[in-house]
Every structure is written in structure tokens, then in C-alpha cells.
Amino acid sequence: MKSLPPGIPFLISHLLLVSAPPFAVYLVCRTLRARDIILPTWFWIIAAALSGPLFYAIHVSNKYRHFRRRAAALGATLPPDLVGKEFGNMDVLRGIIEAFTHGYPSDMFSLGGEMCGPLFQYKIFWDVAYATTDPNVVKTILATEFANYEKGLVCSVEEKLLLADANLSSLVVGAMFHSYTDSLFGTGVFNADGELWNKERISHFELFDRHAETAINKIKERVRSNVAFDFQDLVSRFTLDSATEFLFGSCVHSLNSALPYPHGMSPFSSEAEKSPSERFAHAFGMAQRIVSERPRLGWVWPLKEILKTSTDEHMAVVDAFIEPILQEALRKKEERVKHQNDLDEKESQDEETLLDHLVKQTSDRAILHDEGGRWSRWIRRHTYRTAAALTFGVYLLSQHPAVLKRLRDEIIEHVGPTRRPTYEDIRDMKYLRAFLNETLRLYPPVPFNIRFSIKEGTLPNPDPQGLPVYIPPKTAIAYSVFNMHRDPKFWGPTAEEFDPDRFLDDRVGKYLVPNPFIFLPFNAGPRICLGQQFAYNEMSFFLIRLLQSFSSVSLDLTAQPPDSLPPAEWKEAPGRKGKEQIFPKSHLTLYANGGLWVKMEEADAV
Ligand code: HEM
Ligand SMILES: *[C@@H]1O[C@H](CO)[C@@H](O)[C@H](O)[C@H]1NC(C)=O
């Protein structure tokens, strides 16, 4: 079924709202006329024109008064209000948009934070939303009062437009999504202690190894010609190939196509010359970008999409890529079920993929077919977040050669220069884990997030002397892990510095242990990331393989596409923003704008 562009339902619902007050005026006019009370036409025209704004103004002021009353009744207060200077707080909206497009990732929250503190409300066109950078507030919405805060309709519709095939039927089944993820991810596949995990872990490592080897050979080829390459692109392909193979048992071989060349020297640039996997990756990125750009227009974004859903063409490319793989996996599985008796039990277990596991668990094939979009969603999570962490990790290595040396030393000591790392190796490598944590702290792949209150509630006041803070029902509350991760209030005076040792020395006991909600790269509470262990393993594995082969990393800023570097005005900013060599941007995931162009030096063969 073709999708309904989001502008249509938006227009329908809002036209009804907008036309209701003038229509009421019209009815009054008719009634009076019937009783021979005639007022001049100009009066009715003005009344009709003003009725809408007047009705809205009354509605809004009633709403605000109601919030104040409810807060008082609960012995709570309202949070500071970020008040703009322009009509409807247009200037605040512009500030948010500006921060989103040209700003540093923390700017969006420090904008309000400087004026109003770590928990504030802001009203864009009189619509109330909350924002916070306070770990206790975040703890309340993610854990203590978890049941009252949902990921939200807005979120899931947006995510569906991006990730599901965006047809109407999938919007309807969206409501089923939660139960579906439960059946998908609640099976223990991702449970670090689960039996299945342990059994499959061995084959994960074999799988990572094959793709890591392909990736590293690609890098070697490139560095031998002394030309820079885009590490972000390369590592995204590594995680994409690993994810599709892990999931479907057959991979998309995105690593097989040629690496892009630095800006200005690309021999392949036209669309026609792109490989299918490049087109897939491109379409995927475009769809993600479109969705992330929608909020720039505020809640009126659907107006831009009245004639078509702008993600459709990209999602068609994505689906065309995933669908045959899924069908093939299902076909194979059915064949196998048919011949199950001929097969050695053990053999079939050895090659079991996640998909096989699911097919086994789900007797209803229709569900698996219909859920094609879910796989895209899963893959997006897996590839982009893990790839982002590795990208910023390598960026930090390029800026901190001493850390790179120490990490390499640990790798050589534990694993040696060529051996494939095992799970036990990774578990014992403390510095590697601290390095990954420190990378995830400074550059969390999911820098911001949002929840919606269901019923009214109270939040802890960041000021311990203050009253609890009232939050109305159905209110968005955005939180920034990015800002929390860099706040000297929680991490001490060196909060902005890159220093993996903070996860190993007495700073752990001083800052993190008493206040674990200051570090949330994987979120927390009942909806904590289920792939955390998988991600640590995959990142560790790739870094070990990388540093076994290469002994130094340097940025090549000349290879970067034009206009992808940090804006000149950042230079005056304090802290990391002023020192940043690349432009960290965020759609739903953090990424290096224009890629991360690096050169590497091969390690001496031992
Ligand atoms: C460094 C890499 C990763 C990071 C930083 C990360 C981070 C996150 C975050 C912040 C969430 C919560 C989102 C929200 O509730 O709004 C999440 C959820 C999730 N992640 Fe990850 N993730 C990573 C890798 C992975 C991988 C590799 C997998 C799968 C193997 C995975 C599977 C999931 C799943 C299934 C959820 C949903 C949990 C639920 O809603 O119940 N993640 N992740
Ligand atoms: C890294 O962070 C995780 C929490 O996400 C924690 O369990 C682990 O102990 C940390 N490891 C090190 C070495 O800091």
C-alpha cells in the first residue's frame, strides 16, 4: 500500500480546529438573525476573523492557569520558563534551529541551561515542552517513574516513517511494536548472561574477524598509496556487513565496493557507478537525515510533506535491498524445516542465525514478512551507533598519540601482534574498556533523547532546596546525555578532557559510583540498550584488529569535503568546542560531518 504523506492528516486535523471558532460565530449570527437581531456585516467579518485567535488565547491561558493550580495542589512548582522576545517564541525556535544546523551538539541545551538552569520549560507557539540536563530528573523518567514516561507517539510515528516501510498498514501495526520487540529481543539473544548468547558468541567473533580483515585490507591498500580514507564510511560498512550477516546469515558485502576518495580526487562519483550497497547506505543516511531535519520546522513540519512523504524514495531503495535477503533467509529456513529429519541436530544449531532463531520461535510467518521494516530499524541501531563510537574513538586516538600507544601496548601484551582476540582477552583488557567508556562519555552516539509524560507528575528539583517540579500530562521532556557527560558539576574540573584513566583511578569512586546516572551512553532503566554487550565486543574486536595492524593515526583535514569543518566562530569558544578539529553533528545518531578522513601508518611486522 502506498503511504499517506504526513501533511494530509496534519491538515485535516488542523483545518477542523481552525475553522471551528469562525463556524461558531456564523452559527451565532444565524441564530440572532432568526430572532431579527441584525448586526452590520463588517462586525461579523471581524468577529469571525478574531474568533480563532481569541479562542486560542483563552484556551492557552486556561491551560497555563490549570498547570499552576495543579502544581500548587501537589506542593510543587513550575520549572523556569525560557522566555523569548518574539511572538510565539519564534526567536527561541530560530535559536534551536541554528544550534541544530551550525552549533556544537551541546549548544541546544546550554542555550536554555545558562538562562534557566538544568531543568526548564520552553514554549514554541504556546506548546509547553521540558528540557533537562539533570541526572536525577533523567533517573526519574527512565527508572523511578518509568511507567509514566513513554517513548511517545511522535517518536514512534517518525521512526516508522523512517524505518518501517511507512505504509499505512505499518502505521496501524505500530501499536503492536512494543510487544513485537519483546518477542524479538526478550528471547535472551541479547542477554549477556543468557545461554544463547554464550553459544553464539564464538561465531560472532568468527564473523567479526572476517569482516574486520576485509576492512583492514582495504585500509592497507589505501595507505600504501598514501591517500587518506574516510574511516566513518569504512567502519559503517564493517558494522553493516557484520549486522546483516549476524541477522540474516548472509551479508550485504558493502565492504567489497571501492572506498571513496578524498574531496576533489574522486574517480567514481556518479550515482550509476555506485554499488548496490553504496546506494543502500546512501539511501539509509538520507532517510535518517530527512527525519532528523523535520523538527527544524517545529510542529508544522508535516506541511512540507503534503504531496509526498519525503522519505519514501529512500526507503524504497532500502527495502529493495533488504527484502530479497529476508525472503531468501525465510526460504532457506522453510527448506530446512522440511528436511529437518535428514539433518544432524547439531549441525543445524551451529549455523543458526538470529533470523533462524526467530523463525523457529514464531509460527506466524506473516508477522515476519510484515515486519521487514523492523529489520531496517534493528540494523540502523546496530550499524550507526557502533560505527559512531568507533569513529569518534579513532578521532580521539588521532589527537592523543600517548593513549594510542598505551592501548597498543595493552593489545600486544594480551593478544600479540597477529592472533585473533578471544572473548577472554577482551574481558581482561581494562584500558581498552576505559578507552571505550571515555569515548562514549565525550561523544555519546545517542546524544539526546526524549520521553513523553502520560499522566501529570512531579520531578525532582535540581536545586535541593526547591520544591518538586510539576510536569503536565502528555508533555515532552527532552534530555541531553551529551551535556551531562561533560558537566564539571558531576565529573569534576577535568570533565571536558579526554582521559580514559578517569574510569580506572579514584575518580570512579568519587564521581561515577555514587551517581551512576551521570553516564548513560546506553540509556538506563527497563529500556536500557539490549545490545550493550554485543556493542562492546564488536568495538573491542575491531579496535584490537586495527591497532594490531596500524601504529599511528592522523587526520587529513585537506581531504574533508568543503564546508564540512567546524565553523570559524567555534575557535573562540571555551573547552572542547574551541579545540574541535571536526564537526560533530547529530541526526538521531552522532556523526562526523563529511566523514573522518585519516591516514594511518602500518605497524612493523614482527
Ligand atoms: C555503541 C553502540 C550502541 C549504543 C551507544 C546504543 C545505545 C542505545 C540507547 C541510548 C538506547 C535507548 C534508546 C531509547 O530508549 O530511546 C538503545 C536501545 C536499544 N539498543 Fe542499543 N546501542 C548500541 C548498540 C546496539 C547494538 C549493537 C544492538 C543490537 C545488537 C542494540 C540493540 C538495542 C535495542 C534492541 C534497544 C531497544 C531496547 C528497548 O527499547 O527495550 N544496540 N541503545
Ligand atoms: C564502562 O562502563 C560500564 C557501564 O556502561 C561499566 O559497567 C564498566 O565497568 C565500565 N568499565 C570501565 C573499565 O570503566
Side-chain angles (χ1 to χ4, degrees), residues 151 190 378 382 385 445 449 451 521-523 527 529 531 534-535:
K151 290 185 76 160
F190 296 109
W378 191 93
H382 179 277
R385 291 176 184 169
N449 215 323
R451 291 292 187 264
F522 295 100
N523 233 341
R527 299 208 72 104
C529 173
F534 186 98

